[in-house]
Amino acid sequence: METGTVFLQLPENEARRALECDGGNRSVDGDATRNPFAGLVSHLRASWLSGKTRPIEYRVAQLEALGCFLDEKKQQILEATASDLGKAPFEAELSEIFLCKNELHETLNNLSHWMKDKHVDRTLAMQLDSAFIRKDPYGVVLIIAPWNYPIQLFLVPLIGAIAAGNCVIVKPSEVSKKTERLVAEALPSYLDKDCFAVVTGGVQETTRLLENKFDYIFFTGSSPVGRIIMTAAAKHLTPVTLELGGKNPCYVSDTCDVTNVARRVAWGRFFNAGQTCIAPDYLLCTIEMQEKLLPALREAINDFYGPNPRESPDFGRIVNDKQFQRVQRLLGSGCVAIGGQTDEAERYIAPTVLVDVQPSDPVMQEEIFGPILPIVVISNMDEAIDFINSRERPLAVYAFSSSDKVVNQVLERTSSGGFCGNDTLMHVTLTSLPFGGIGNSGLGLHHGKFSFDTFSHHRGCLKRGMGWESLNAPRYPPYCKKKFGVIQATSKVSRKNDCTLL
């Protein structure tokens, strides 16, 4: 997703050079005499190696402290997000607090079960042994968060990282300045400072931070910067989760409830002033459906935000001047059918619908990340699916139709990080569903148990007794066909319709 931080403003070739600078021999966590974060990373690693974060009691205590942070700092969170993004209290409480508490409660309710060793099937030769999967913490984790949901998008992965027993450094976005300050000043007082830290800053700080060896990196941001993060991680062979973004298509069939479609699409597109990585980025429909949708979308926008959305307390603002200018330029694509008004002083862009949009127009070349909804006309569902599949795989695909067959066709014949039929955004509110991208929209999963699994190394373990050595004799030299036959009979995994006679 587009984030617009100073780090992201650096040209990619320069960022790569920055990530490659200061090379040479250094300790596992960087040279403490040259890297300002090496000491912090080393301190957290020492805490992790001590085993402090492993007991369930410790993990639960830290997770409950996050709940206290959300409860006690609720008003400050609402004020900070209003200052940074013009977020309505309703939207901020829903997206930044309520959904985080759902994740937190899901984790606390299930953590003891998730942590248990998972015993697995054994062959006949190993019936006396213990084979299981142990969920080990990775170690020291780095979470780099964006500005558009500045609490949720660091806190949800942090919940998973703590639940899995890791030490964590959180890097909030400096673009959402008030929220960054709140997180930096308040969060450390709730968590164990020996195991958790907040680092602030822009390109220089992030670049130096990434020089250190982490055991896992979780990044939310744009695809170009995701590649830079992955390059930095590769130097230490550090695994990553990349939550990126892209252009999420929304197909609307000719058979649907137009009013309901318009309300659900308008809500998903204009929530947080369109600055949502899973927002429907463009509509695909026939010309006949477009003529029906336009008045329905106009009515939905009026119902939600009134005749002048600029005066609505429920409609947000673009985060900064750079992002405002970028989104404003996209208004030149196609023709404005609804909205189009702007106010640079307020960083206000009205909820806007564009028609006569061509696939080659600028608005179709990048993730919009603002309150603009282009409509691309297609002839039928097959053409819509071909259009979707001709582009990079998105973070989400949406399909609206009164026919389950149509919705299922779109689901089965496309590929995306997630899918939602006959609604927008709502699939990410379920802690039971994984959230993540595919291809250009990201890699890796989180939410609920998927967060715990992401930050856990699934360690295959086998424990055998010291006795019964005669059972091992067939595997030892000198070899012969008879010995192999014994091994085959006692260790073979057979197809269910296969019969092995012992």
Side-chain angles (χ1 to χ4, degrees):
M1 72 182 60
E2 179 71 41
T3 67
T5 67
V6 176
F7 181 51
L8 299 188
Q9 291 172 11
L10 193 67
E12 184 167 343
N13 60 339
E14 294 181 27
R16 289 184 182 278
R17 286 197 293 272
L19 292 170
E20 293 167 359
C21 73
D22 292 336
N25 297 325
R26 58 166 61 95
S27 68
V28 162
D29 294 321
D31 187 338
T33 63
R34 299 167 63 193
N35 190 294
F37 303 108
L40 174 63
V41 177
S42 294
H43 180 76
L44 265 62
R45 190 173 304 284
S47 296
W48 180 75
L49 288 171
S50 74
K52 186 177 186 180
T53 62
R54 287 181 177 263
I56 187 172
E57 295 81 7
Y58 179 87
R59 304 183 197 192
V60 167
Q62 298 302 304
L63 290 170
E64 288 178 340
L66 289 182
C68 293
F69 167 75
L70 288 172
D71 289 337
E72 295 173 10
K73 299 301 179 183
K74 174 182 174 179
Q75 187 58 36
Q76 290 94 318
I77 290 171
L78 298 182
E79 292 171 359
T81 54
S83 175
D84 289 331
L85 290 145
K87 280 198 183 188
F90 181 96
E91 289 191 358
E93 185 166 358
L94 173 61
S95 62
E96 309 284 11
I97 298 173
F98 176 76
L99 292 181
C100 290
K101 295 192 82 168
N102 278 358
E103 291 281 343
L104 189 60
H105 296 160
E106 172 78 5
T107 302
L108 287 167
N109 288 343
N110 294 282
L111 183 56
S112 61
H113 174 67
W114 295 346
M115 287 177 62
K116 288 180 180 177
D117 292 341
K118 180 181 178 181
H119 290 269
V120 298
D121 294 339
R122 295 154 295 163
T123 60
L124 179 62
M126 294 187 178
Q127 287 301 302
L128 299 177
D129 306 322
S130 175
F132 56 92
I133 300 169
R134 170 70 52 87
K135 288 90 168 200
D136 273 351
Y138 271 103
V140 180
V141 168
L142 172 63
I143 295 172
I144 302 176
W147 51 259
N148 58 325
Y149 292 91
I151 297 295
Q152 181 198 142
L153 294 181
F154 90 80
L155 200 56
V156 171
L158 178 60
I159 290 168
I162 292 175
N166 298 281
C167 291
V168 186
I169 291 178
V170 172
K171 168 61 180 70
S173 172
E174 74 279 12
V175 171
S176 45
K177 295 181 175 61
K178 293 290 179 64
T179 311
E180 178 198 39
R181 185 177 304 118
L182 171 63
V183 172
E185 293 177 355
L187 187 65
S189 65
Y190 287 85
L191 297 175
D192 183 351
K193 293 181 179 64
D194 286 332
C195 299
F196 307 100
V198 176
V199 169
T200 61
V203 57
Q204 292 180 335
E205 291 80 7
T206 306
T207 300
R208 300 308 303 274
L209 189 59
L210 284 167
E211 292 171 0
N212 295 277
K213 176 178 172 57
F214 290 94
D215 300 299
Y216 204 98
I217 297 176
F218 190 106
F219 169 77
T220 303
S222 70
S223 297
V225 178
R227 294 184 180 95
I228 296 170
I229 298 295
M230 205 166 182
T231 299
K235 294 175 185 176
H236 300 292
L237 296 180
T238 299
V240 298
T241 289
L242 303 177
E243 295 291 0
L244 308 177
K247 297 188 71 62
N248 306 310
C250 180
Y251 170 64
V252 181
S253 81
D254 286 339
T255 56
C256 64
D257 185 317
V258 176
T259 299
N260 289 349
V261 171
R263 293 175 68 83
R264 296 175 194 185
V265 169
W267 177 74
R269 173 69 276 185
F270 304 125
F271 191 93
N272 197 30
Q275 298 165 114
T276 304
C277 62
I278 55 165
D281 197 86
Y282 60 94
L283 290 185
L284 292 167
C285 66
T286 62
I287 188 67
E288 294 80 10
M289 177 51 61
Q290 175 180 283
E291 296 309 309
K292 296 176 182 178
L293 270 175
L294 286 174
L297 285 167
R298 186 176 290 109
E299 182 179 1
I301 292 169
N302 184 75
D303 288 347
F304 293 169
Y305 308 113
N308 184 2
R310 180 179 172 182
E311 298 176 355
S312 171
D314 298 321
F315 188 72
R317 297 297 186 264
I318 304 302
V319 69
N320 61 20
D321 292 338
K322 179 191 175 186
Q323 290 300 312
F324 173 86
Q325 292 158 10
R326 181 190 64 79
V327 176
Q328 186 181 43
R329 286 194 295 269
L330 300 180
L331 292 171
S333 299
C335 298
V336 174
I338 300 172
Q341 300 84 6
T342 66
D343 185 330
E344 187 167 5
E346 288 189 20
R347 300 193 303 275
Y348 166 77
I349 297 178
T352 298
V353 179
L354 302 178
V355 296
D356 298 332
V357 174
Q358 301 302 313
S360 58
D361 285 342
V363 77
M364 295 301 294
Q365 304 309 307
E366 63 180 273
E367 184 179 4
I368 295 170
F369 227 65
I372 301 174
L373 182 65
I375 299 179
V376 177
V377 172
I378 43 84
S379 300
N380 51 49
M381 180 189 69
D382 289 336
E383 185 180 340
I385 290 173
D386 288 343
F387 187 90
I388 294 168
N389 289 337
S390 70
R391 294 174 161 246
E392 294 283 3
R393 287 183 284 186
L395 193 55
V397 166
Y398 299 105
F400 285 86
S401 178
S402 299
S403 168
D404 285 343
K405 182 178 179 181
V406 171
V407 173
N408 287 334
Q409 279 283 302
V410 178
L411 171 60
E412 292 169 7
R413 294 170 58 190
T414 60
S415 175
S416 61
F419 177 87
C420 188
N422 292 324
D423 210 340
T424 61
L425 309 190
M426 293 303 294
H427 59 296
V428 302
T429 66
L430 291 176
T431 59
S432 53
L433 285 178
F435 176 70
I438 183 173
N440 208 57
S441 60
L443 60 91
L445 302 168
H446 75 304
H447 284 193
K449 185 177 185 295
F450 301 97
S451 295
F452 175 83
D453 289 338
T454 284
F455 290 106
S456 300
H457 168 60
H458 289 225
R459 188 180 186 185
C461 304
L462 175 67
K463 294 199 300 186
R464 312 200 74 189
M466 285 297 297
W468 301 95
E469 183 62 10
S470 60
L471 296 178
N472 296 323
R475 76 185 197 209
Y476 297 144
Y479 302 130
C480 65
K481 289 185 178 180
K482 181 179 179 180
K483 287 184 175 181
F484 187 80
V486 173
I487 292 174
Q488 188 176 37
T490 59
S491 301
K492 181 180 179 180
V493 177
S494 301
R495 292 282 300 273
K496 287 189 177 181
N497 60 353
D498 192 9
C499 181
T500 300
L501 297 178
L502 300 181

